Amino acid sequence: MNTTEIIRKKRDGFELNRDEINFLVSGYTAKKIPDYQFSAFLMAVFNKGMVTAETAALTEAMLYSGIVVDLSAIQGVKVDKHSTGGVGDKTSLILAPVAAAAGVKVPMISGRGLGHTGGTLDKLEAIPGFRTDLSLEEYKNAIEKCGAVLIGQTKEIAPADKLIYSLRDVTATVESIPLITSSIMSKKLAEGIDGLVLDVKTGSGAFMRRYEDSIALAESLIDTAKAFGKKVIAFITDMNQPLGNYIGNWLEVVESVQILKGEKLESDLAKVTFNLTAGMLLLAGKAESIEEGYSKSVELVKSGKAYEKFIEIVKIHGGNTGFIETPERYPASKYKYKIEAGTSGYVNEIDTFGIGMAALELGAGRRTKEDVIDPKAGIIFNIKAGDFVNKDTVIAEIFTDNEEQIISVKNRILNSVKINNVHSEQVPLIRKIIF
């Protein structure tokens, strides 16, 4: 096959076949195709798109560039959850132990935060001693012993994805739905799952801000999962404000533990999480409906079983459970600063992206993959859209070791919150469920 001819074919809007796509991916992974040619292919896909069969073929080529974990020897249905990322999105820390306590096997390979969105791995590693670099043998043992495991992508799993993603990042092709789909699904399918729950965010803090784009991405992910014979359900969830109240890696662990201990069960974070968990229970045959799965999830929390399972997960990953049981022992930030509203009225709008970038400035996130995160830095964000505040209401409290950032972060947060006399109708947390 000829690389240039395949690129030209896609550039001109024609459909590529499975062999052509595999030729490109395997050739690039083996360093037989140079960056500049694969970049041209990525831009052709970005401009012309891909049909479902092409996206599935691209996913397959990336999936089999490495090993696919075989969990068939482990009894039980294996179901994972994938989120497209957001601000304060800590649902994985809660739903993994809840689903595992319900008897679902949860093999979870997660990512790190970049830009305004947080990463599950960074949150877990805020727990002293917690290892996310388990070997594949340790990964299997953890699933068998406690029913859930949360690790990072290993060098054996979908190595083509790592190479291609790095190239997408510098060629302005990150936003392509077929490329997003193949990146997500190649890693998820390699985990050894039977089913997948998708949490596709939409709104000011989401990767896909427009509702229509979120729907399109969800449908692409569903079509690809179905092409591989996997059970799948997608939730389109709102990200027009931070999820929960705590933003920052250790702070998000604390809030997750609060819910696992039975607190804040009527919060937006709890409601979104229990819906996603319900989807996992439904796919695993542990519930016959979302409503039943939701009720079972709440009961597992109230009974203490979900919290016990979380402690078990932390232990099997080498984490220090003493900090979970007594979080006040955790090292404190050098500086704490309270931010008042400055005006009275209703919280009409929140720029979630701005809040996420404020947390990044405090040290809770990274602009590049090489940046070092301060696990204790972050924001306790006290308000929700629709709330009424007085001018002296403390809308946020910030935590950082970097005193120089306090004023700029204060201004960014205040500029991200719109307060006026209009009590506007709020968007529902769950915008749509696609079975």
Side-chain angles (χ1 to χ4, degrees):
M1 292 188 185
N2 183 287
T3 304
T4 304
E5 288 305 312
I6 297 173
I7 294 169
R8 181 179 287 112
K9 184 177 177 181
K10 175 44 62 181
R11 181 203 68 185
D12 292 342
F14 293 101
E15 182 179 336
L16 301 182
N17 62 45
R18 185 165 171 258
D19 290 339
E20 289 168 329
I21 290 171
N22 189 60
F23 173 81
L24 289 177
V25 172
S26 60
Y28 182 62
T29 307
K31 299 183 178 179
K32 294 177 181 178
I33 294 176
D35 281 354
Y36 62 83
Q37 281 192 306
F38 206 82
S39 296
F41 166 68
L42 293 176
M43 188 56 72
V45 171
F46 184 89
N47 287 328
K48 298 297 182 179
M50 281 183 155
V51 299
T52 299
E54 287 178 292
T55 304
L58 180 58
T59 301
E60 181 184 47
M62 292 165 65
L63 171 65
Y64 289 106
S65 67
I67 68 166
V68 178
V69 181
D70 183 5
L71 298 179
S72 59
I74 299 174
Q75 291 187 342
V77 182
K78 295 88 183 177
V79 182
D80 190 12
K81 183 273 304 180
H82 177 79
S83 169
T84 56
V87 179
D89 179 11
K90 56 199 77 74
T91 57
S92 292
L93 279 66
I94 307 166
L95 65 80
V98 175
V104 183
K105 300 297 183 184
V106 186
M108 191 171 285
I109 297 178
S110 301
R112 299 195 179 277
L114 188 62
H116 76 287
T117 61
T120 299
L121 296 185
D122 301 313
K123 294 163 193 176
L124 292 168
E125 289 175 355
I127 304 169
F130 196 105
R131 288 180 54 216
T132 61
D133 61 346
L134 302 185
S135 68
L136 289 179
E137 195 60 37
E138 290 173 312
Y139 171 83
K140 291 182 181 180
N141 289 338
I143 298 169
E144 193 155 25
K145 286 185 71 174
C146 77
V149 64
L150 300 98
I151 68 169
Q153 185 178 359
T154 70
K155 63 182 178 181
E156 300 99 334
I157 290 177
D161 175 61
K162 283 188 175 181
L163 293 171
I164 294 170
Y165 188 88
S166 296
L167 201 57
R168 285 168 57 206
D169 199 32
V170 296
T171 56
T173 55
V174 170
E175 297 87 350
S176 164
I177 284 179
L179 298 179
I180 295 169
T181 300
S182 57
S183 177
I184 291 170
M185 294 306 301
S186 62
K187 294 192 289 286
K188 290 298 172 184
L189 293 169
E191 296 174 336
I193 57 171
D194 302 307
L196 180 64
V197 171
L198 297 163
D199 178 11
V200 181
K201 305 292 188 187
T202 190
S204 66
F207 182 69
M208 292 292 190
R209 294 193 174 199
R210 295 195 321 140
Y211 179 73
E212 296 79 6
D213 294 335
S214 301
I215 292 288
L217 176 57
E219 290 176 342
S220 176
L221 289 164
I222 287 171
D223 288 343
T224 303
K226 284 167 60 181
F228 287 86
K230 303 302 178 184
K231 303 174 184 178
V232 62
I233 182 172
F235 292 78
I236 310 297
T237 65
D238 182 61
M239 189 41 68
N240 281 300
Q241 58 186 329
L243 189 59
N245 298 105
Y246 289 29
I247 305 157
N249 298 289
W250 173 248
L251 288 173
E252 295 191 39
V253 172
V254 171
E255 189 169 31
S256 299
V257 171
Q258 289 172 349
I259 289 179
L260 287 167
K261 285 186 172 181
E263 303 169 27
K264 299 183 175 181
L265 295 187
E266 294 301 316
S267 66
D268 59 346
L269 172 60
K271 289 176 181 177
V272 169
T273 303
F274 293 149
N275 268 286
L276 298 173
T277 313
M280 296 177 75
L281 269 57
L282 181 63
L283 295 185
K286 301 295 182 182
E288 294 185 0
S289 65
I290 295 296
E291 292 76 18
E292 183 187 349
Y294 192 106
S295 297
K296 284 190 173 183
S297 299
V298 174
E299 286 307 311
L300 286 164
V301 168
K302 288 182 175 179
S303 69
K305 292 179 180 178
Y307 176 70
E308 290 172 8
K309 182 60 69 175
F310 183 68
I311 293 295
E312 191 181 346
I313 292 168
V314 172
K315 284 181 178 177
I316 209 164
H317 281 267
N320 186 333
T321 58
F323 289 100
I324 303 299
E325 291 156 352
T326 53
E328 60 271 15
R329 290 175 48 199
Y330 203 80
S333 294
K334 291 180 182 177
Y335 305 101
K336 293 192 293 184
Y337 186 85
K338 294 181 178 179
I339 300 172
E340 296 181 350
T343 187
S344 297
Y346 291 100
V347 179
N348 192 255
E349 184 180 330
I350 297 171
D351 177 7
T352 315
F353 174 82
I355 302 299
M357 291 304 293
L360 183 151
E361 285 187 49
L362 294 171
R366 54 171 70 86
R367 287 186 173 86
T368 69
K369 293 179 181 179
E370 292 73 32
D371 286 351
V372 177
I373 280 179
D374 176 5
K376 58 190 184 303
I379 304 166
I380 296 180
F381 195 67
N382 296 319
I383 56 172
K384 293 291 176 183
D387 287 354
F388 182 85
V389 297
N390 293 308
K391 63 179 182 181
D392 57 353
T393 299
V394 176
I395 63 171
E397 187 172 0
I398 61 178
F399 303 82
T400 186
D401 285 349
N402 190 348
E403 187 178 21
E404 295 177 359
Q405 296 297 326
I406 290 176
I407 299 303
S408 65
V409 166
K410 174 187 174 182
N411 291 333
R412 186 186 281 273
I413 290 174
L414 288 173
N415 289 334
S416 298
V417 178
K418 300 293 185 288
I419 299 172
N420 56 37
N421 294 323
V422 179
H423 190 198
S424 59
E425 186 175 339
Q426 298 308 308
V427 174
L429 291 171
I430 308 296
R431 301 287 301 275
K432 188 173 184 178
I433 304 176
I434 308 173
F435 290 91

